[in-house]
């Protein structure tokens, strides 16, 4: 089989596996602040192989998450596309920075990501906005957990890349 | 070599091997596409059909995920079956003797049970109308949580059937597919259900404010007398939910100076988190 096709297959498989874990496997006790593994994996591939992952993957998995989680159609997708762009724009700087620095950068990225879901686009509950203390706390915990999970995730995906994707 | 894979230096005319960032025009196009999707979803609720289709397509994955647990259960029960069976026979023999002795006392209980059964059948909830259903997934969307239930293929479940757990009202069916059904939870910020208080019997509307959050009674006049700890039940008005199903309990009553209504917070009696089975009630 064509090497390039096989590499693409492994990348997409890892993204799909992360999506399945996000939707079906993660325990419900962390439901309010569980990390979005699909996004973490997408960020990793954008850092490691920016020429193999792009807008199509971001759009596809974003829309898949939208229809599976019941969020506004296109919200995950738009955020995924923007994060993909940011990652690809700054991956040279990000890739060489130490792990703690990567985690801190991702913390802010994830915090903003979570806050975007606090907007009441349909104006269904007047008074419900980002100033909601509980939601800010949930977003903070989500960002902390996601940035902490980035470290093991990075090493797991790097090992996976070295074994399966020989570039 | 492809043209996009390198640039040429204007100074030395040497190839610069660098991976170019994605084109901004494509990013802008993708974001505009997403915004169009969002607007169409807000205006026409396009996602509801897509969601149902996606749940049906992704259902085999949930079955695959459940499979290892199922195999583990069967294996462990097979291994432990013979050893435990002997022990169980002995204990059951002992139990049998004890039961014979206590049977005499049970006669009184049987009379009480008969009374309870009469009460149950006299209530307007028809137990034949309940269908048990297993959870397929619960989304992590805080404000608009999505509960998906597995249903039988030859079901007669309809939109707006109530979903109940043993602790109280969960929500109502909002979408029905071939083998899955979506539940509109009472915690959803779009939810608004007619309720009545247990002690003071005052009618009101309960609004959801997201998963793992308290609900609020809306438009309650300041002259109304509610009590902290008072139970809240469905009133049955509107005809969607059957009446007298427990919804929650009053946990706080505020009297804001800048509003003509009371702010009453309700702690929902149930949460779909960590609960696997639900009852779908076909309300006629």
């Amino acid at each position: 089989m064509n090497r390039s096709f096989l590499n693409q297959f492994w990348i997409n498989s890892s993204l799909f596996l992360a999506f399945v874990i996000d939707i079906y496997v993660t325990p419900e006790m962390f439901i309010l602040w569980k990390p979005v593994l699909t996004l973490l994996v997408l960020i990793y591939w954008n850092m490691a192989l920016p020429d193999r992952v792009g807008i199509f993957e971001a759009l596809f998995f974003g829309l898949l998450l939208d229809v599976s989680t019941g969020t506004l159609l296109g919200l995950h997708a738009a955020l995924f596309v923007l994060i993909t762009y940011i990652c690809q724009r700054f991956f040279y700087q990000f890739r060489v920075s130490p792990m703690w620095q990567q985690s801190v950068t991702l913390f802010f990225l994830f915090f903003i990501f979570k806050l975007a879901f606090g907007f009441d686009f349909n104006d269904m509950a007047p008074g419900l906005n980002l100033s909601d203390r509980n939601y800010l706390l949930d977003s903070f915990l989500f960002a902390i957990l996601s940035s902490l999970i980035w470290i093991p995730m990075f090493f797991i995906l790097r090992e996976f890349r070295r074994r399966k994707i020989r570039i | 070599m492809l043209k996009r894979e390198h640039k040429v230096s204007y100074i030395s005319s040497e190839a610069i091997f660098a991976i170019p960032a994605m084109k901004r025009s494509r990013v802008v196009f993708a974001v505009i596409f997403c915004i169009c999707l969002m607007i169409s979803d807000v205006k026409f609720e396009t996602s509801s059909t897509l969601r149902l289709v996606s749940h049906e397509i992704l259902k085999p994955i949930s079955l695959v995920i459940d499979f290892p647990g199922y195999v583990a259960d069967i294996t462990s029960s097979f291994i432990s079956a013979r050893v435990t069976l002997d022990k169980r026979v002995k204990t059951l023999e002992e139990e049998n003797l004890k039961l014979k002795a206590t049977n005499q006392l049970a006669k009184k209980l049987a009379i009480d049970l008969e009374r309870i059964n009469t009460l149950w059948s006299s209530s307007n909830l028809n137990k034949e109308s309940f269908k048990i259903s297993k959870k397929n997934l619960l989304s992590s969307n805080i404000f608009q949580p999505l509960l998906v239930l597995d249903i039988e293929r030859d079901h007669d479940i309809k939109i707006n059937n109530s979903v109940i757990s043993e602790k109280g009202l969960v929500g109502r069916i909002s979408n029905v597919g071939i083998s899955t059904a979506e539940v509109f939870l009472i915690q959803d910020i779009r939810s608004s259900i007619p309720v009545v208080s247990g002690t003071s019997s005052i009618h009101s509307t309960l609004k959801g404010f997201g998963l793992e959050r308290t609900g609020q009674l809306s438009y309650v006049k300041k002259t109304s007398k509610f009590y902290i700890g008072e139970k809240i039940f469905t009133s049955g008005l509107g005809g969607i939910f059957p009446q007298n199903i427990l919804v929650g309990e009053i946990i706080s009553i505020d009297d804001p100076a800048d509003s003509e209504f009371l702010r009453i917070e309700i702690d929902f009696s149930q949460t779909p988190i960590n609960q696997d089975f639900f009852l779908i009630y076909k309300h006629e």
Side-chain angles (χ1 to χ4, degrees):
Chain A
M1 200 185 280
N2 185 5
R3 187 75 234 172
S4 169
F5 180 78
L6 202 64
N7 289 342
Q8 203 61 47
F9 169 76
W10 285 120
I11 290 168
N12 289 335
S13 300
S14 66
L15 280 163
F16 191 72
L17 185 70
F19 163 76
V20 170
I21 293 169
D22 267 342
I23 300 297
Y24 294 105
V25 182
T26 322
E28 284 178 358
M29 56 200 291
F30 311 117
I31 199 158
L32 298 182
W33 52 81
K34 68 178 183 182
V36 184
L37 293 184
T38 317
L39 182 58
L40 283 166
V41 175
L42 189 71
I43 289 171
Y44 175 80
W45 290 123
N46 274 307
M47 301 293 169
L49 302 168
D51 53 334
R52 306 274 159 182
V53 182
I55 286 176
F56 176 75
E57 283 81 3
L59 266 178
F60 179 76
F61 284 99
L63 287 173
L64 211 56
L65 269 176
D66 279 325
V67 290
S68 306
T69 56
T71 48
L72 190 68
L73 189 68
L75 187 56
H76 268 109
L79 291 167
F80 276 23
V81 167
L82 288 173
I83 289 172
T84 299
Y85 177 70
I86 292 167
C87 291
Q88 295 222 358
R89 179 72 184 77
F90 298 105
F91 81 97
Y92 281 120
Q93 291 93 324
F94 191 85
R95 212 153 56 172
V96 292
S97 57
M99 196 53 76
W100 69 268
Q101 231 171 60
Q102 290 184 12
S103 284
V104 170
T105 314
L106 286 180
F107 168 81
F108 290 108
L109 203 66
F110 282 119
F111 190 65
I112 295 163
F113 172 82
K114 189 73 174 175
L115 288 186
F117 291 91
F119 285 112
D120 182 12
F121 290 95
N122 293 349
D123 197 26
M124 285 171 294
L128 196 70
N129 53 36
L130 293 180
S131 61
D132 187 329
R133 192 180 53 199
N134 291 338
Y135 193 72
L136 280 175
L137 187 68
D138 286 340
S139 305
F140 184 78
L141 285 169
F142 166 81
I144 287 267
L145 208 61
S146 300
S147 55
L148 287 175
I149 280 186
W150 167 251
I151 300 166
M153 189 67 126
F154 176 86
F155 289 110
I156 290 166
L157 285 169
R158 191 170 71 174
E159 195 57 33
F160 175 75
R161 180 172 63 84
R162 284 176 180 171
R163 279 167 190 254
K164 298 286 179 188
I165 303 163
R166 296 183 194 104
I167 296 174
Chain B
M1 189 171 284
L2 291 170
K3 194 181 174 184
R4 67 182 287 274
E5 284 183 356
H6 74 279
K7 285 180 176 178
V8 178
S9 167
Y10 291 118
I11 302 163
S12 62
S13 298
E14 285 175 351
I16 304 165
F17 291 99
I19 299 158
M22 60 171 70
K23 284 181 182 173
R24 278 177 202 164
S25 57
R26 289 173 72 184
V27 177
V28 171
F29 180 76
V31 171
I32 290 169
F33 173 69
C34 292
I35 290 168
C36 289
L37 285 177
M38 282 187 228
I39 292 166
S40 73
D41 195 21
V42 170
K43 295 278 181 196
F44 311 110
E45 293 192 356
T46 45
S47 65
S48 60
T49 321
L50 281 171
R51 270 205 310 272
L52 212 59
V53 173
S54 78
H55 294 320
E56 295 294 341
I57 294 167
L58 294 170
K59 202 183 172 186
I61 295 168
S62 68
L63 295 175
V64 169
I65 288 161
D66 289 343
F67 187 70
Y70 178 70
V71 170
D73 283 349
I74 289 175
T75 317
S76 63
S77 63
F78 179 75
I79 291 165
S80 61
R82 283 192 177 185
V83 184
T84 51
L85 203 64
D86 287 338
K87 286 179 185 173
R88 273 197 78 185
V89 167
K90 282 181 183 175
T91 50
L92 282 171
E93 278 172 355
E94 285 174 21
E95 287 282 318
N96 194 28
L97 281 170
K98 286 176 188 172
L99 280 170
K100 276 178 184 171
T102 52
N103 199 23
Q104 301 298 320
L105 297 166
K107 279 180 183 172
K108 169 76 178 71
L109 282 173
I111 296 162
D112 291 342
L113 197 67
E114 201 175 329
R115 280 182 192 157
I116 292 166
N117 277 335
T118 318
L119 193 70
W120 171 257
S121 56
S122 68
S123 74
N124 48 13
L125 287 180
N126 181 6
K127 56 184 178 292
E128 299 300 321
S129 302
F130 284 111
K131 274 208 165 178
I132 197 156
S133 180
K134 194 178 179 242
K135 177 162 67 181
N136 181 282
L137 72 91
L138 173 69
S139 79
S140 56
N141 189 355
I142 297 173
F143 295 120
Q144 293 173 34
L146 187 72
L147 174 66
V148 180
L149 300 177
D150 290 335
I151 52 174
E152 290 163 7
R153 280 182 177 267
D154 55 338
H155 62 79
D156 54 348
I157 293 159
K158 289 173 188 159
I159 288 174
N160 284 341
N161 281 167
S162 308
V163 179
I164 300 163
S165 75
E166 77 274 13
K167 290 173 187 166
L169 186 70
V170 176
R172 64 178 168 86
I173 300 287
S174 61
N175 250 329
V176 184
I178 301 163
S179 59
T180 54
E182 259 182 38
V183 181
F184 185 75
L185 296 172
I186 54 172
Q187 284 93 345
D188 196 304
I189 55 167
R190 297 164 293 178
S191 160
S192 186
I193 58 167
V195 290
V196 63
S197 60
T199 319
S200 49
S201 295
I202 299 169
H203 285 260
S204 180
T205 310
L206 174 64
K207 280 185 75 67
F209 276 87
L211 209 59
E212 293 287 273
R213 286 155 177 258
T214 53
Q216 254 185 45
L217 291 185
S218 47
Y219 310 118
V220 179
K221 283 187 176 176
K222 292 196 174 181
T223 50
S224 309
K225 284 184 180 174
F226 282 97
Y227 308 99
I228 290 174
E230 198 174 349
K231 303 275 185 205
I232 298 293
F233 300 89
T234 51
S235 67
L237 294 175
I240 291 175
F241 298 106
Q243 59 182 342
N244 301 331
I245 294 178
L246 182 66
V247 179
E249 185 182 311
I250 296 175
I251 52 164
S252 80
I253 303 169
D254 278 345
D255 187 358
D258 59 342
S259 171
E260 56 181 309
F261 301 111
L262 287 174
R263 194 167 68 201
I264 300 172
E265 284 194 14
I266 305 293
D267 184 27
F268 290 106
S269 59
Q270 60 71 38
T271 169
I273 294 172
N274 291 329
Q275 184 147 351
D276 286 335
F277 292 94
F278 297 89
L279 290 167
I280 298 173
Y281 180 69
K282 287 172 281 171
H283 186 43
E284 300 298 331

